[in-house]
């Protein structure tokens, strides 16, 4: 017989009670996993970049390569 693994909250496991009736089972209580903390330094950098770029004009959808080529041809950007 193949081993079947069920994992979830107690409420989720009890939904399978009818299928598990009469079968031998093993219950292991898992420790609570801590919630992931936001990367505050990365968020600060993103905020600074957003603030710096808020008044920058849109490029019109052209690629970075096209912008560099225009700059090499002498076009001035602000």
């Amino acid at each position: 017989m193949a081993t079947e693994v069920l994992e979830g909250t107690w409420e989720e496991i009890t939904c399978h009670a009818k299928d598990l009736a009469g079968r031998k089972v093993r219950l292991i209580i898992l420790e609570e996993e801590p919630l992931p903390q936001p990367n505050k330094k990365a968020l600060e950098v993103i905020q600074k970049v957003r603030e710096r770029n808020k008044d920058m004009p849109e490029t019109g959808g052209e690629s970075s390569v096209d912008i560099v080529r225009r700059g090499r041809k002498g076009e001035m950007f602000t």
Side-chain angles (χ1 to χ4, degrees):
M1 180 191 312
T3 302
E4 184 178 347
V5 177
L6 297 175
E7 186 173 330
T9 64
W10 178 249
E11 294 79 12
E12 293 168 340
I13 299 298
T14 58
C15 292
H16 299 275
K18 192 168 36 171
D19 300 328
L20 299 173
R23 294 179 63 188
K24 185 175 179 178
V25 298
R26 175 181 292 153
L27 177 65
I28 299 172
I29 309 300
L30 301 174
E31 292 184 28
E32 290 289 327
E33 294 180 8
L35 294 174
Q37 298 297 313
N39 187 336
K40 292 181 181 181
K41 288 185 179 182
L43 291 174
E44 288 174 10
V45 170
I46 291 170
Q47 294 280 352
K48 288 177 183 177
V49 169
R50 279 186 178 166
E51 183 64 30
R52 185 177 52 184
N53 291 338
K54 79 176 179 187
D55 294 326
M56 295 288 287
E58 295 289 326
T59 61
E62 62 189 330
S63 72
S64 299
V65 173
D66 293 333
I67 294 171
V68 170
R69 286 182 179 144
R70 286 175 40 210
R72 286 181 179 168
K73 289 181 181 177
E75 189 169 334
M76 300 298 289
F77 297 95
T78 57

